Coordinates of all heavy atoms in Angstrom, one line a residue:
M1 N -90.5 24.2 -11.4 CA -89.7 23.1 -11.1 C -89.3 22.4 -12.4 O -88.0 21.9 -12.3 CB -90.7 22.2 -10.3 CG -89.9 20.9 -9.6 SD -88.9 21.4 -8.3 CE -88.6 20.0 -7.5
K2 N -90.1 22.2 -13.3 CA -89.7 21.6 -14.6 C -88.6 22.3 -15.2 O -87.8 21.8 -15.8 CB -91.0 21.4 -15.5 CG -91.9 20.3 -15.2 CD -92.9 20.3 -16.2 CE -93.8 19.2 -15.9 NZ -95.0 19.0 -16.9
M3 N -88.7 23.6 -15.3 CA -87.8 24.5 -15.8 C -86.4 24.3 -15.1 O -85.3 24.3 -15.9 CB -88.2 26.0 -15.7 CG -87.2 26.9 -16.5 SD -87.3 26.4 -18.2 CE -87.4 28.1 -19.0
L4 N -86.3 24.1 -13.9 CA -85.2 24.1 -13.2 C -84.5 22.6 -13.5 O -83.2 22.6 -13.8 CB -85.3 24.0 -11.6 CG -84.1 23.9 -10.7 CD1 -83.1 25.0 -11.1 CD2 -84.5 24.0 -9.3
R5 N -85.2 21.7 -13.7 CA -84.6 20.3 -14.1 C -84.2 20.4 -15.6 O -83.0 19.8 -15.8 CB -85.8 19.3 -14.1 CG -86.1 18.8 -12.7 CD -87.1 17.7 -12.7 NE -87.7 17.5 -11.5 CZ -89.0 16.9 -11.3 NH1 -89.6 16.2 -12.4 NH2 -89.4 16.7 -10.1
Y6 N -84.9 21.2 -16.4 CA -84.4 21.3 -17.7 C -83.1 22.0 -17.8 O -82.1 21.7 -18.5 CB -85.4 22.0 -18.6 CG -85.0 22.3 -19.9 CD1 -85.0 21.3 -20.8 CD2 -84.6 23.6 -20.3 CE1 -84.6 21.5 -22.1 CE2 -84.2 23.8 -21.6 CZ -84.1 22.8 -22.6 OH -83.7 23.1 -23.8
V7 N -82.8 23.1 -17.0 CA -81.6 23.9 -16.9 C -80.6 23.0 -16.4 O -79.3 22.9 -17.0 CB -81.8 25.2 -16.1 CG1 -80.6 25.8 -15.9 CG2 -82.8 26.0 -16.8
I8 N -80.7 22.3 -15.4 CA -79.7 21.4 -14.8 C -79.4 20.3 -15.8 O -78.1 20.0 -16.0 CB -80.2 20.7 -13.4 CG1 -80.3 21.8 -12.3 CG2 -79.2 19.7 -13.0 CD1 -81.0 21.4 -11.1
A9 N -80.3 19.7 -16.5 CA -79.9 18.7 -17.4 C -79.1 19.3 -18.6 O -78.2 18.7 -19.0 CB -81.3 18.0 -17.9
A10 N -79.5 20.4 -19.0 CA -78.8 21.1 -20.2 C -77.5 21.4 -19.7 O -76.3 21.3 -20.5 CB -79.5 22.3 -20.6
A11 N -77.2 21.8 -18.5 CA -76.0 22.3 -17.9 C -75.1 21.0 -17.7 O -73.8 21.0 -18.2 CB -75.9 22.9 -16.5
A12 N -75.6 19.9 -17.4 CA -74.9 18.6 -17.3 C -74.4 18.1 -18.6 O -73.3 17.7 -18.9 CB -75.7 17.5 -16.6
V13 N -75.2 18.2 -19.6 CA -75.0 17.9 -20.9 C -73.8 18.8 -21.6 O -72.8 18.2 -22.1 CB -76.0 17.9 -21.9 CG1 -75.5 17.8 -23.3 CG2 -77.1 16.7 -21.5
A14 N -73.8 20.1 -21.2 CA -72.8 21.0 -21.7 C -71.4 20.7 -21.1 O -70.4 20.8 -21.7 CB -73.3 22.4 -21.4
V15 N -71.4 20.4 -19.7 CA -70.2 20.0 -19.0 C -69.6 18.8 -19.6 O -68.4 18.5 -19.8 CB -70.5 20.0 -17.5 CG1 -69.3 19.4 -16.8 CG2 -70.7 21.4 -16.9
T16 N -70.5 17.8 -19.8 CA -70.1 16.5 -20.3 C -69.4 16.6 -21.6 O -68.3 16.1 -22.0 CB -71.2 15.5 -20.4 OG1 -71.8 15.3 -19.0 CG2 -70.7 14.1 -20.8
L17 N -70.0 17.4 -22.5 CA -69.5 17.6 -23.9 C -68.0 18.4 -23.9 O -67.3 18.0 -24.6 CB -70.4 18.5 -24.7 CG -71.7 17.5 -25.2 CD1 -72.7 18.4 -26.0 CD2 -71.3 16.3 -26.0
A18 N -68.1 19.3 -23.0 CA -66.8 20.1 -22.9 C -65.7 19.4 -22.4 O -64.6 19.5 -22.8 CB -67.1 21.3 -22.0
A19 N -66.0 18.5 -21.4 CA -64.9 17.6 -20.7 C -64.5 16.5 -21.7 O -63.3 16.3 -21.9 CB -65.5 16.9 -19.5
G20 N -65.5 16.1 -22.5 CA -65.2 15.0 -23.5 C -64.4 15.5 -24.7 O -63.5 14.9 -25.2
S21 N -64.6 16.8 -25.1 CA -63.9 17.3 -26.2 C -62.4 17.5 -26.0 O -61.5 17.4 -26.9 CB -64.5 18.6 -26.8 OG -64.3 19.7 -25.8
G22 N -62.0 17.9 -24.8 CA -60.6 18.1 -24.5 C -59.8 16.8 -24.3 O -58.6 16.7 -24.8
A23 N -60.4 15.8 -24.0 CA -59.8 14.5 -23.8 C -59.5 13.8 -25.2 O -58.6 13.0 -25.4 CB -60.6 13.5 -23.0
S24 N -60.3 14.1 -26.2 CA -60.2 13.4 -27.4 C -59.1 14.1 -28.5 O -58.8 13.5 -29.5 CB -61.5 13.4 -28.2 OG -61.9 14.7 -28.5
T25 N -58.5 15.3 -28.1 CA -57.4 15.8 -28.9 C -56.2 15.1 -28.9 O -55.3 15.2 -29.8 CB -57.2 17.3 -28.5 OG1 -56.8 17.3 -27.2 CG2 -58.5 18.0 -28.8
A26 N -55.8 14.3 -27.8 CA -54.7 13.6 -27.8 C -54.7 12.3 -28.4 O -55.6 11.4 -28.3 CB -54.2 13.3 -26.3
A27 N -53.7 12.0 -29.4 CA -53.7 10.7 -30.1 C -53.2 9.6 -29.3 O -52.3 9.8 -28.5 CB -52.9 10.8 -31.4
T28 N -53.8 8.5 -29.4 CA -53.3 7.2 -28.6 C -52.1 6.7 -29.4 O -51.9 7.0 -30.6 CB -54.4 6.2 -28.6 OG1 -54.6 5.7 -30.0 CG2 -55.7 6.7 -28.1
P29 N -51.3 6.0 -28.8 CA -50.1 5.4 -29.4 C -50.4 4.6 -30.7 O -49.9 4.6 -31.6 CB -49.5 4.3 -28.4 CG -49.9 5.0 -27.0 CD -51.3 5.5 -27.4
Q30 N -51.7 3.9 -30.7 CA -52.1 3.1 -31.8 C -52.4 4.1 -33.0 O -52.0 3.8 -34.2 CB -53.3 2.4 -31.6 CG -53.7 1.4 -32.7 CD -54.9 0.5 -32.3 OE1 -55.4 0.6 -31.2 NE2 -55.3 -0.4 -33.2
Q31 N -53.0 5.3 -32.7 CA -53.3 6.2 -33.7 C -52.2 6.8 -34.3 O -52.1 7.0 -35.6 CB -54.2 7.3 -33.1 CG -55.7 6.8 -32.9 CD -56.4 7.9 -32.0 OE1 -55.9 8.7 -31.3 NE2 -57.8 7.9 -32.3
E32 N -51.1 7.1 -33.4 CA -49.8 7.7 -33.9 C -49.1 6.6 -34.8 O -48.6 7.0 -35.8 CB -49.0 8.1 -32.6 CG -49.5 9.2 -31.9 CD -48.7 9.5 -30.7 OE1 -47.6 8.8 -30.4 OE2 -49.0 10.5 -30.0
K33 N -49.2 5.4 -34.5 CA -48.5 4.4 -35.3 C -49.2 4.2 -36.6 O -48.5 4.2 -37.7 CB -48.7 2.9 -34.6 CG -47.9 1.9 -35.3 CD -48.1 0.6 -34.4 CE -47.5 -0.6 -35.2 NZ -47.7 -1.9 -34.6
Q34 N -50.5 4.4 -36.6 CA -51.3 4.4 -37.9 C -51.0 5.5 -38.7 O -50.7 5.4 -40.0 CB -52.8 4.2 -37.6 CG -53.6 4.1 -38.9 CD -53.5 2.9 -39.7 OE1 -52.8 1.9 -39.3 NE2 -54.0 2.9 -40.9
Q35 N -50.9 6.7 -38.1 CA -50.6 7.9 -38.9 C -49.1 7.8 -39.4 O -48.9 8.3 -40.5 CB -50.6 9.1 -38.0 CG -52.1 9.5 -37.5 CD -52.1 10.7 -36.6 OE1 -51.1 11.0 -35.9 NE2 -53.2 11.3 -36.4
E36 N -48.2 7.3 -38.7 CA -46.9 7.0 -39.2 C -46.8 6.2 -40.5 O -46.2 6.4 -41.4 CB -45.8 6.6 -38.2 CG -45.5 7.7 -37.2 CD -44.9 9.0 -37.8 OE1 -44.1 8.8 -38.5 OE2 -45.3 10.0 -37.3
K37 N -47.8 5.2 -40.4 CA -47.8 4.1 -41.4 C -48.4 4.9 -42.7 O -47.9 4.6 -43.8 CB -48.6 3.0 -41.0 CG -48.6 1.9 -42.0 CD -49.2 0.7 -41.3 CE -49.1 -0.6 -42.1 NZ -49.8 -1.8 -41.5
M38 N -49.4 5.7 -42.4 CA -50.0 6.4 -43.6 C -49.0 7.4 -44.3 O -49.0 7.4 -45.6 CB -51.2 7.1 -43.1 CG -52.4 6.2 -42.8 SD -53.7 7.2 -42.0 CE -54.5 8.1 -43.4
K39 N -48.2 8.1 -43.5 CA -47.2 8.8 -44.0 C -46.2 8.2 -44.8 O -45.8 8.4 -46.0 CB -46.5 9.6 -43.0 CG -47.2 10.7 -42.2 CD -46.4 11.4 -41.1 CE -47.2 12.4 -40.4 NZ -46.4 12.9 -39.2
A40 N -45.7 7.0 -44.3 CA -44.8 6.2 -45.1 C -45.3 5.6 -46.4 O -44.7 5.6 -47.4 CB -44.2 5.0 -44.1
C41 N -46.6 5.0 -46.2 CA -47.2 4.5 -47.5 C -47.4 5.6 -48.5 O -47.1 5.4 -49.7 CB -48.5 4.0 -47.1 SG -48.4 2.3 -46.1
N42 N -47.7 6.8 -48.0 CA -48.1 8.0 -49.0 C -46.7 8.3 -49.6 O -46.6 8.6 -50.9 CB -48.7 9.1 -48.3 CG -49.2 10.1 -49.2 OD1 -49.8 9.8 -50.2 ND2 -49.1 11.4 -48.8
A43 N -45.7 8.4 -48.9 CA -44.4 8.8 -49.4 C -43.9 7.7 -50.4 O -43.4 8.1 -51.4 CB -43.3 8.9 -48.3
D44 N -44.0 6.5 -50.1 CA -43.8 5.4 -51.1 C -44.4 5.5 -52.4 O -43.9 5.3 -53.4 CB -43.8 4.1 -50.4 CG -42.9 3.8 -49.4 OD1 -41.8 4.5 -49.2 OD2 -43.1 2.8 -48.5
A45 N -45.8 5.7 -52.3 CA -46.6 5.9 -53.5 C -46.2 7.1 -54.4 O -46.2 7.0 -55.5 CB -48.1 6.0 -52.9
T46 N -45.8 8.1 -53.6 CA -45.5 9.3 -54.3 C -44.1 9.0 -55.2 O -43.9 9.5 -56.2 CB -45.3 10.7 -53.4 OG1 -46.6 10.7 -52.7 CG2 -44.8 11.8 -54.1
A47 N -43.2 8.4 -54.4 CA -41.9 8.1 -54.9 C -42.0 7.1 -56.1 O -41.2 7.2 -57.1 CB -40.9 7.4 -53.8
K48 N -43.0 6.3 -56.1 CA -43.3 5.5 -57.2 C -43.9 6.0 -58.3 O -44.4 5.4 -59.3 CB -43.9 4.1 -56.8 CG -42.9 3.3 -55.8 CD -43.6 2.1 -55.3 CE -42.7 1.3 -54.4 NZ -43.3 0.1 -53.9
S49 N -44.4 7.3 -58.2 CA -45.3 8.0 -59.1 C -46.5 7.4 -59.4 O -47.0 7.3 -60.6 CB -44.5 8.4 -60.4 OG -43.4 9.0 -60.1
L50 N -47.2 6.5 -58.4 CA -48.4 6.1 -58.6 C -49.5 6.9 -58.6 O -49.7 7.9 -57.9 CB -48.7 4.9 -57.5 CG -47.6 3.8 -57.4 CD1 -48.0 2.9 -56.2 CD2 -47.6 3.0 -58.7
K51 N -50.5 6.8 -59.6 CA -51.7 7.7 -59.6 C -53.0 6.9 -59.9 O -52.9 5.6 -60.3 CB -51.6 8.6 -60.7 CG -50.3 9.6 -60.6 CD -50.3 10.6 -61.7 CE -49.1 11.4 -61.7 NZ -48.8 12.4 -60.9
G52 N -54.1 7.3 -59.5 CA -55.3 6.7 -59.8 C -55.6 5.3 -59.2 O -55.3 5.2 -57.9
D53 N -56.0 4.4 -59.8 CA -56.3 3.0 -59.3 C -55.1 2.4 -58.7 O -55.1 1.6 -57.8 CB -57.0 2.2 -60.4 CG -58.5 2.7 -60.6 OD1 -59.0 3.4 -59.8 OD2 -59.0 2.4 -61.8
E54 N -54.0 2.5 -59.6 CA -52.7 1.8 -59.1 C -52.5 2.4 -57.6 O -52.0 1.6 -56.7 CB -51.6 2.2 -59.9 CG -51.6 1.5 -61.2 CD -50.4 1.8 -62.2 OE1 -49.9 3.0 -62.0 OE2 -50.0 0.9 -62.9
R55 N -52.4 3.7 -57.4 CA -52.3 4.3 -56.1 C -53.2 3.8 -55.1 O -52.8 3.4 -53.9 CB -52.2 5.9 -56.1 CG -51.8 6.5 -54.9 CD -51.9 8.0 -55.0 NE -51.4 8.6 -53.7 CZ -50.0 9.0 -53.6 NH1 -49.2 8.9 -54.6 NH2 -49.7 9.6 -52.6
K56 N -54.5 3.7 -55.4 CA -55.5 3.3 -54.5 C -55.1 1.8 -54.0 O -55.2 1.5 -52.9 CB -56.8 3.3 -55.0 CG -57.4 4.7 -55.1 CD -58.8 4.6 -55.7 CE -59.3 6.0 -56.1 NZ -60.6 6.0 -56.8
A57 N -54.8 0.9 -55.0 CA -54.6 -0.4 -54.7 C -53.3 -0.5 -53.8 O -53.3 -1.4 -53.0 CB -54.3 -1.1 -56.0
Y58 N -52.3 0.2 -54.2 CA -50.9 0.3 -53.4 C -51.3 0.7 -52.0 O -50.8 0.1 -51.0 CB -49.9 1.1 -54.0 CG -48.7 1.2 -53.2 CD1 -47.7 0.2 -53.2 CD2 -48.4 2.3 -52.3 CE1 -46.6 0.2 -52.4 CE2 -47.3 2.3 -51.5 CZ -46.3 1.3 -51.6 OH -45.3 1.3 -50.8
M59 N -51.9 1.8 -51.8 CA -52.3 2.3 -50.4 C -53.0 1.4 -49.7 O -52.8 1.1 -48.5 CB -53.1 3.7 -50.5 CG -52.2 4.8 -51.1 SD -50.8 5.3 -50.1 CE -51.6 6.0 -48.8
S60 N -54.2 0.8 -50.4 CA -54.9 -0.3 -49.6 C -54.0 -1.4 -49.0 O -54.1 -1.9 -47.9 CB -55.9 -0.9 -50.5 OG -56.7 -1.8 -49.8
S61 N -53.2 -2.0 -50.0 CA -52.2 -2.9 -49.6 C -51.3 -2.6 -48.6 O -51.0 -3.4 -47.6 CB -51.5 -3.5 -50.8 OG -50.4 -4.4 -50.6
C62 N -50.7 -1.4 -48.7 CA -49.6 -1.0 -47.7 C -50.3 -0.7 -46.4 O -49.6 -0.9 -45.3 CB -49.0 0.4 -48.2 SG -47.7 1.1 -47.3
L63 N -51.5 -0.2 -46.3 CA -52.1 0.2 -45.0 C -52.8 -1.1 -44.3 O -53.3 -0.9 -43.3 CB -53.2 1.2 -45.1 CG -52.6 2.7 -45.6 CD1 -53.6 3.6 -45.9 CD2 -51.7 3.1 -44.5
S64 N -53.0 -2.2 -45.0 CA -53.5 -3.4 -44.4 C -52.6 -3.8 -43.3 O -51.5 -3.4 -43.0 CB -53.6 -4.5 -45.5 OG -52.3 -5.0 -45.8
N65 N -53.2 -4.7 -42.5 CA -52.5 -5.1 -41.3 C -51.2 -6.0 -41.6 O -50.8 -6.6 -40.5 CB -53.5 -6.0 -40.4 CG -54.7 -4.8 -40.0 OD1 -54.3 -3.8 -39.6 ND2 -55.9 -5.6 -39.5
K66 N -50.8 -6.1 -42.7 CA -49.5 -6.8 -43.0 C -48.4 -6.0 -42.2 O -48.3 -4.8 -42.2 CB -49.3 -6.8 -44.5 CG -50.3 -7.6 -45.2 CD -50.1 -7.7 -46.7 CE -51.3 -8.3 -47.4 NZ -51.3 -8.0 -48.8
P67 N -47.4 -6.8 -41.9 CA -46.2 -6.0 -41.3 C -45.6 -5.1 -42.3 O -45.6 -5.5 -43.6 CB -45.1 -7.2 -41.0 CG -45.9 -8.5 -41.3 CD -47.2 -8.2 -41.8
A68 N -45.0 -4.1 -42.0 CA -44.3 -3.1 -42.8 C -43.2 -3.8 -43.6 O -42.5 -4.7 -43.1 CB -43.8 -2.0 -42.0
A69 N -43.0 -3.4 -44.7 CA -42.0 -4.0 -45.6 C -40.6 -3.7 -45.2 O -39.6 -4.6 -45.2 CB -42.1 -3.4 -47.1
A70 N -40.4 -2.6 -44.4 CA -39.1 -2.2 -43.9 C -38.8 -3.2 -42.7 O -37.6 -3.5 -42.5 CB -39.0 -0.9 -43.3
A71 N -39.7 -3.8 -42.1 CA -39.4 -4.7 -41.1 C -39.0 -6.2 -41.5 O -38.4 -6.9 -40.7 CB -40.8 -4.8 -40.0
E72 N -39.4 -6.3 -42.7 CA -39.0 -7.8 -43.3 C -37.5 -7.7 -43.8 O -37.0 -6.7 -44.2 CB -39.8 -8.0 -44.5 CG -41.4 -8.2 -44.2 CD -42.1 -8.3 -45.5 OE1 -41.5 -8.6 -46.5 OE2 -43.4 -8.3 -45.4
P73 N -36.9 -8.8 -43.5 CA -35.4 -8.8 -44.0 C -35.4 -8.8 -45.5 O -36.1 -9.4 -46.1 CB -34.8 -10.1 -43.4 CG -36.1 -10.9 -43.1 CD -37.1 -10.0 -42.8
A74 N -34.4 -8.1 -46.0 CA -34.2 -7.9 -47.5 C -33.7 -9.3 -48.0 O -32.9 -9.9 -47.6 CB -33.3 -6.9 -47.7
K75 N -34.4 -9.8 -49.0 CA -34.1 -11.0 -49.7 C -32.9 -10.7 -50.7 O -33.0 -9.7 -51.4 CB -35.1 -11.6 -50.5 CG -36.3 -12.0 -49.5 CD -37.4 -12.6 -50.3 CE -38.6 -12.8 -49.4 NZ -39.9 -13.2 -50.2
P76 N -31.8 -11.5 -50.7 CA -30.7 -11.2 -51.7 C -31.3 -11.5 -53.1 O -32.2 -12.4 -53.2 CB -29.7 -12.3 -51.4 CG -30.5 -13.4 -50.5 CD -31.6 -12.7 -49.9
L77 N -30.8 -10.7 -54.0 CA -31.2 -11.0 -55.4 C -30.7 -12.1 -56.1 O -29.6 -12.6 -55.8 CB -30.6 -9.8 -56.3 CG -31.2 -8.3 -55.9 CD1 -30.5 -7.3 -56.8 CD2 -32.8 -8.2 -56.0
T78 N -31.7 -12.8 -56.9 CA -31.1 -13.9 -57.6 C -30.0 -13.4 -58.8 O -29.9 -12.3 -59.0 CB -32.3 -14.7 -58.2 OG1 -32.8 -13.9 -59.3 CG2 -33.3 -15.1 -57.3
A79 N -29.4 -14.4 -59.4 CA -28.5 -14.0 -60.4 C -29.2 -13.3 -61.6 O -28.7 -12.3 -62.0 CB -27.8 -15.2 -61.0
Q80 N -30.5 -13.8 -62.0 CA -31.2 -13.2 -63.0 C -31.7 -11.8 -62.6 O -31.6 -10.9 -63.3 CB -32.4 -14.1 -63.3 CG -33.1 -13.7 -64.4 CD -32.5 -13.6 -65.8 OE1 -31.5 -14.2 -66.0 NE2 -32.9 -12.7 -66.7
Q81 N -32.2 -11.7 -61.4 CA -32.5 -10.3 -60.9 C -31.4 -9.4 -60.8 O -31.6 -8.2 -61.2 CB -33.2 -10.4 -59.4 CG -34.6 -11.2 -59.3 CD -34.9 -11.3 -58.0 OE1 -34.2 -11.6 -57.2 NE2 -36.1 -11.3 -57.8
D82 N -30.2 -9.7 -60.5 CA -29.0 -8.9 -60.4 C -28.6 -8.5 -61.8 O -28.4 -7.4 -62.2 CB -27.9 -9.7 -59.8 CG -26.8 -8.7 -59.3 OD1 -27.0 -7.6 -58.9 OD2 -25.5 -9.1 -59.4
K83 N -28.7 -9.5 -62.9 CA -28.5 -9.3 -64.2 C -29.4 -8.2 -64.7 O -29.0 -7.3 -65.5 CB -28.4 -10.4 -65.0 CG -27.9 -10.4 -66.3 CD -28.0 -11.8 -67.0 CE -27.0 -11.9 -68.2 NZ -27.0 -13.1 -68.8
M84 N -30.7 -8.3 -64.4 CA -31.8 -7.3 -64.9 C -31.7 -6.0 -64.3 O -31.7 -5.1 -65.1 CB -33.1 -8.0 -64.5 CG -34.3 -7.2 -64.9 SD -34.5 -7.4 -66.7 CE -36.1 -6.7 -67.0
K85 N -31.2 -5.8 -63.1 CA -31.0 -4.5 -62.5 C -29.8 -3.9 -63.2 O -29.9 -2.7 -63.5 CB -30.6 -4.8 -61.0 CG -30.5 -3.6 -60.3 CD -30.3 -3.9 -58.8 CE -30.2 -2.6 -58.0 NZ -30.1 -2.8 -56.5
K86 N -28.6 -4.8 -63.5 CA -27.6 -4.0 -64.1 C -27.9 -3.7 -65.6 O -27.5 -2.6 -66.0 CB -26.4 -5.0 -64.2 CG -25.1 -4.5 -64.8 CD -24.0 -5.6 -65.0 CE -22.8 -5.2 -65.6 NZ -22.9 -4.4 -66.9
C87 N -28.6 -4.5 -66.4 CA -28.9 -4.2 -67.7 C -29.9 -3.0 -67.7 O -29.8 -2.1 -68.6 CB -29.6 -5.4 -68.4 SG -28.4 -6.7 -68.8
N88 N -30.8 -3.0 -66.8 CA -31.8 -1.8 -66.7 C -31.0 -0.5 -66.4 O -31.4 0.6 -67.1 CB -32.8 -2.1 -65.7 CG -34.0 -1.2 -65.8 OD1 -34.4 -0.9 -67.0 ND2 -34.5 -0.8 -64.7
A89 N -30.0 -0.5 -65.5 CA -29.3 0.6 -65.3 C -28.5 1.1 -66.5 O -28.3 2.3 -66.8 CB -28.4 0.4 -64.1
D90 N -27.9 0.2 -67.3 CA -27.0 0.5 -68.4 C -27.9 1.0 -69.5 O -27.4 1.7 -70.4 CB -26.3 -0.8 -69.0 CG -25.3 -1.2 -68.0 OD1 -24.8 -0.3 -67.1 OD2 -24.7 -2.4 -68.1
A91 N -29.2 0.7 -69.6 CA -30.2 1.1 -70.6 C -30.9 2.3 -70.3 O -31.7 2.8 -71.1 CB -31.2 -0.1 -70.9
A92 N -30.4 3.2 -69.3 CA -31.1 4.4 -68.9 C -31.2 5.5 -69.9 O -32.3 6.0 -70.0 CB -30.3 4.9 -67.7
G93 N -30.3 5.5 -70.8 CA -30.4 6.5 -71.9 C -31.1 6.1 -73.0 O -31.4 6.9 -74.0
K94 N -31.5 4.9 -73.2 CA -32.2 4.4 -74.4 C -33.7 4.3 -74.3 O -34.2 4.3 -73.2 CB -31.6 3.0 -74.7 CG -30.0 2.9 -74.9 CD -29.7 1.4 -75.0 CE -28.2 1.3 -75.2 NZ -27.3 2.2 -75.3
S95 N -34.4 4.3 -75.4 CA -35.8 4.3 -75.3 C -36.3 3.5 -76.7 O -35.7 3.3 -77.6 CB -36.4 5.7 -75.4 OG -36.2 6.4 -76.5
G96 N -37.6 3.0 -76.5 CA -38.3 2.4 -77.5 C -37.5 1.2 -78.0 O -37.3 0.3 -77.2
E97 N -37.5 0.9 -79.3 CA -37.0 -0.3 -80.0 C -35.5 -0.4 -79.6 O -35.0 -1.5 -79.4 CB -37.2 -0.3 -81.5 CG -38.5 -0.5 -81.9 CD -39.1 -1.8 -81.4 OE1 -38.5 -2.8 -81.6 OE2 -40.4 -1.9 -80.9
D98 N -34.7 0.7 -79.5 CA -33.2 0.7 -79.1 C -33.1 -0.1 -77.8 O -32.4 -0.9 -77.7 CB -32.7 2.0 -79.3 CG -31.4 2.1 -79.2 OD1 -30.7 1.1 -79.6 OD2 -30.6 3.0 -78.5
R99 N -34.0 0.5 -76.9 CA -33.9 -0.1 -75.4 C -34.3 -1.5 -75.5 O -33.7 -2.4 -74.8 CB -34.8 0.6 -74.5 CG -34.7 0.1 -73.1 CD -35.7 1.1 -72.2 NE -35.7 0.4 -70.9 CZ -35.0 0.8 -70.0 NH1 -34.1 1.8 -70.1 NH2 -35.2 0.3 -68.8
K100 N -35.3 -1.9 -76.2 CA -35.8 -3.3 -76.3 C -34.7 -4.2 -76.8 O -34.5 -5.2 -76.2 CB -37.0 -3.3 -77.1 CG -37.8 -4.6 -77.0 CD -39.1 -4.4 -77.9 CE -39.8 -5.8 -77.8 NZ -41.1 -5.7 -78.7
A101 N -34.1 -3.7 -77.8 CA -32.9 -4.6 -78.5 C -31.7 -4.7 -77.5 O -31.2 -5.8 -77.4 CB -32.5 -4.0 -79.9
F102 N -31.5 -3.5 -76.9 CA -30.3 -3.5 -76.0 C -30.6 -4.6 -74.9 O -29.8 -5.4 -74.4 CB -30.0 -2.2 -75.4 CG -29.0 -2.2 -74.4 CD1 -27.6 -2.2 -74.6 CD2 -29.3 -2.3 -73.0 CE1 -26.7 -2.3 -73.7 CE2 -28.4 -2.1 -72.0 CZ -27.1 -2.3 -72.3
M103 N -31.7 -4.4 -74.2 CA -32.1 -5.3 -73.1 C -32.1 -6.7 -73.4 O -31.6 -7.7 -72.7 CB -33.5 -4.9 -72.6 CG -33.6 -3.5 -71.7 SD -32.5 -3.4 -70.3 CE -33.6 -4.6 -69.2
A104 N -32.6 -7.1 -74.6 CA -32.6 -8.5 -75.1 C -31.2 -9.0 -75.2 O -30.9 -10.1 -74.7 CB -33.4 -8.7 -76.4
S105 N -30.3 -8.3 -75.8 CA -29.0 -8.7 -76.0 C -28.1 -8.7 -74.7 O -27.4 -9.8 -74.4 CB -28.2 -7.8 -77.0 OG -27.5 -6.9 -76.4
C106 N -28.5 -7.8 -73.7 CA -27.7 -7.7 -72.4 C -28.2 -8.9 -71.6 O -27.4 -9.5 -70.9 CB -28.2 -6.4 -71.7 SG -27.3 -6.2 -70.2
L107 N -29.5 -9.3 -71.6 CA -29.9 -10.4 -70.9 C -29.5 -11.6 -71.4 O -29.5 -12.6 -70.5 CB -31.5 -10.3 -70.7 CG -32.1 -9.1 -69.8 CD1 -33.5 -9.0 -69.8 CD2 -31.5 -9.2 -68.4
K108 N -29.3 -11.8 -72.6 CA -28.9 -13.1 -73.1 C -27.3 -13.3 -72.7 O -27.0 -14.6 -72.7 CB -28.8 -13.0 -74.7 CG -30.3 -13.3 -75.2 CD -30.4 -13.2 -76.7 CE -31.8 -13.3 -77.2 NZ -32.0 -13.2 -78.6
G109 N -26.6 -12.3 -72.4 CA -25.3 -12.6 -72.0 C -24.1 -11.9 -72.7 O -23.1 -12.0 -72.4

């Protein structure tokens, strides 16, 4: 009699585990959203060539519950930011002291 109870209990556990494992393979919409966010953050970190602690900090910030950066409206550049962007693009072929001198003179006007 004890053996029969043991077999029935073991069978019930096996059926429960088998049924539960099939249901857990489908991702919920929330899990899918988080996976997409992880893919986007990872792609951004790779595009920015982040490594080590910088990458960890970026990923942590990106994956936090803050709204995605793409959802925020783009702020227009200030005159100084626009000037910096143009000078930086013009200085693409320069390096070291040459670049530093070029940037200084370009930003002065």
